[in-house]
């Protein structure tokens, strides 16, 4: 009769690749779509940021451009 083999070991696992993420802008996080340790694919949305600050900055830049163009005329 065969006796099952059982082995116990302590240790840790590490993925083959690891990536550090950094934002190019500051904004409020609306949603985090993954958890630490989740497998992700290229192009997958990881975090949704609030676009309000970017929209306000764009509107301000457009207003400055318009004012400068008007001043040149």
């Amino acid at each position: 009769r065969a006796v099952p083999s059982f082995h116990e070991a302590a240790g840790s696992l590490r993925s083959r690749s690891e990536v550090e993420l950094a934002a190019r802008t500051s904004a409020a996080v609306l949603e985090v779509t993954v958890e630490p340790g989740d497998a992700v694919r290229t192009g997958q949305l990881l975090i949704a940021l609030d676009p309000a600050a970017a929209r306000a900055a764009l509107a301000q830049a457009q207003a400055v451009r318009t004012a400068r163009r008007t001043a040149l005329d």
Side-chain angles (χ1 to χ4, degrees), residues 1-72:
R1 175 173 137 173
V3 176
S5 176
F6 178 78
H7 302 280
E8 187 173 332
S12 61
L13 297 175
R14 191 167 191 180
S15 73
R16 286 186 232 168
S17 60
E18 192 172 298
V19 175
E20 287 191 30
L21 300 177
R24 288 184 257 168
T25 186
S26 60
V29 174
L30 295 177
E31 179 182 10
V32 177
T33 62
V34 294
E35 295 292 328
D38 284 355
V40 296
R41 296 176 317 278
T42 300
Q44 179 180 348
L45 179 67
L46 306 178
I47 297 172
L49 300 177
D50 185 356
R55 286 184 183 141
L58 176 60
Q60 181 180 11
Q62 289 172 331
V64 167
R65 180 186 67 186
T66 300
R68 287 181 180 169
R69 282 184 176 171
T70 302
L72 289 175

